[in-house]
Each structure stands twice: as structure tokens, then as C-alpha cells.
Amino acid sequence: MNSVDLPNYLKIKNDLPKGVNLLAVSKGFGSKSIESLHSLGQQHFGESKVQEALQKDYLLNNKLNIKLHFIGRIQSNKIRKIVENFDFIHSVDSYSKLLKIAKISDEIGKSPITMIQVKLEDEPQKGGMFTDELIGKWDSIKMIKGLNIKGLMTINPKGLSSQENLNLFRKCKSLAESLELPECSMGMSIDWKEAVDAGSTWVRIGSSIFGKRDV
Ligand SMILES: *Cc1c(COP(=O)(O)O)cnc(C)c1O
């Protein structure tokens, strides 16, 4: 599927304050969409499935200065491919996956910028570390050599009011600040404004830029 909502893309770019980065979430969309956004200067693209991202392999081998971000659920057996092919990983949800990322980063001499996904509400189907769990493990996490942890990522539950979204994003931001992490990956098409108000540094926007996905 190929499409780009150009006016919306430009409007979002224009509305984002300095210091907030736009990650264009291109999952479900093909090379043409990606190329046309890239030709407008968009550098950061997000994918949530390893296989799908690697099929768009022109991205990975090309000379375009595209930065690829992994934002999906991480299966342990895909970590090597993720570390090899992505510049950023937003969605690490366990200590053991951090260990594996560090081990592979060391082996191949490349360490992606990493964020830890946190779960601020108890949603069983969703990935992420709970706040208490993250704080409890933080000293051990900091001891892992070769990791490049720069921030936290969160996905808010669906159906929240604007105020509820804002409150959760603020929780994520203050947790990041208490751990002295500079980056916060939060906000999607429906809630990026609240995320920006709460101090997001990476908004992850798909459908508002590319249109509705089939999947
Ligand atoms: C798909 C996805 C997005 C983008 O969602 P939109 O609603 O299309 O903007 C952002 N973050 C994650 C983790 C996603 O999987």
C-alpha cells in the first residue's frame, strides 16, 4: 500500500516544538510511501515487524541516510536481526532481552540506541515493564556493559480522555527523569499532542501521515 497525507505530515512537522523528533511509522506501507517522505527530508522510520522491515531491504542497504527504529513486540530469537539492522530499539520489555541486546551488540560492534518500554496500566496483552519492576532492576540494568539506554517508551491504553492521556504521559516522563534518561518515546496519531505537552522527545506517528492501514 502506498500513500502519504502530505498536508498532514507538513502540519505535524510544523506543530512539533523544537527537540521533539518525528518518527514516521511506516509499518503496513511500501517503499513508494517511504521514499516520498524521505525525499521531503524525513529521516526516521519505525517498523514493528522484523520480517516486514527486512523485506523493504532497499532501506537497509541503500545510501540514503535513513534511520530505522524497531517499535514492535520483541521476540528473543529476533534480537540478533534487530540489533544488526536497526539504529534504535524502542520496545525492550525485559531484563533478559536487555542482556541479549548487550551480548549481540558486543559481538557485532554495534549498539543501537535503546529505550525500555514501560507499562503504566495493567494491560495483560501489552508488553512493557511495570514501574516497580523497572525501578527494582535499575541498578542491575545500569551494570550491563555495552548497552546504549537513552530513554523510556510507552503506549497508552485506548479510549482515554485527553486529560488521562496527559496524566499517564507525565508519569512516564517523570520516571524517565528520575532515572536520568533524556528520551521519552510517547504519542501516536491520536494522542501525540498530549505526549508533547508531557515532554515527549519522540512521537511515533503512522496513520495520520500514511493513511489508514489494512492490518
Ligand atoms: C503502529 C504503531 C504506532 C503508530 O500508530 P498510529 O496510530 O498509526 O499513529 C506507534 N507506536 C507503535 C508501537 C505502533 O505499533
Side-chain angles (χ1 to χ4, degrees), residues 17 51 57 83 89 93 132 150 159 209:
Q51 206 178 348
D57 61 355
V83 173
I89 310 174
D93 60 1
D132 292 351
K150 286 282 154 56
I209 295 176

Side-chain angles (χ1 to χ4, degrees), residues 23 25 27 47-48 71-72 91 117 153-155 187-190 204-209 211 213:
L23 177 61
V25 176
K27 67 183 186 199
E47 294 280 346
S48 60
I71 62 171
S91 45
Q117 184 172 351
M153 179 272 228
T154 199
I155 305 172
M188 310 177 21
S189 289
I190 53 160
R204 310 178 307 267
I205 301 184
S207 47
S208 286
I209 295 176
R213 285 179 297 270

Side-chain angles (χ1 to χ4, degrees), residues 10-60:
L10 295 173
K11 180 164 181 356
I12 292 169
K13 271 220 79 99
N14 194 52
D15 287 350
L16 285 178
K18 256 215 171 81
V20 185
N21 301 284
L22 175 56
L23 177 61
V25 176
S26 41
K27 67 183 186 199
F29 290 89
S31 313
K32 285 222 178 70
S33 303
I34 295 164
E35 277 166 8
S36 51
L37 260 201
H38 177 262
S39 69
L40 296 169
Q42 178 64 34
Q43 190 187 13
H44 297 274
F45 290 88
E47 294 280 346
S48 60
K49 291 191 181 123
V50 178
Q51 206 178 348
E52 179 190 332
L54 298 188
Q55 279 165 359
K56 305 174 191 175
D57 61 355
Y58 74 95
L59 275 181
L60 308 169

Side-chain angles (χ1 to χ4, degrees), residues 86-108:
F86 288 81
D87 303 291
F88 291 69
I89 310 174
H90 291 231
S91 45
V92 190
D93 60 1
S94 74
Y95 179 72
S96 63
K97 288 176 193 173
L98 286 169
L99 281 180
K100 192 155 181 190
I101 290 169
K103 181 167 171 281
I104 293 169
S105 295
D106 183 52
E107 271 173 45
I108 69 172

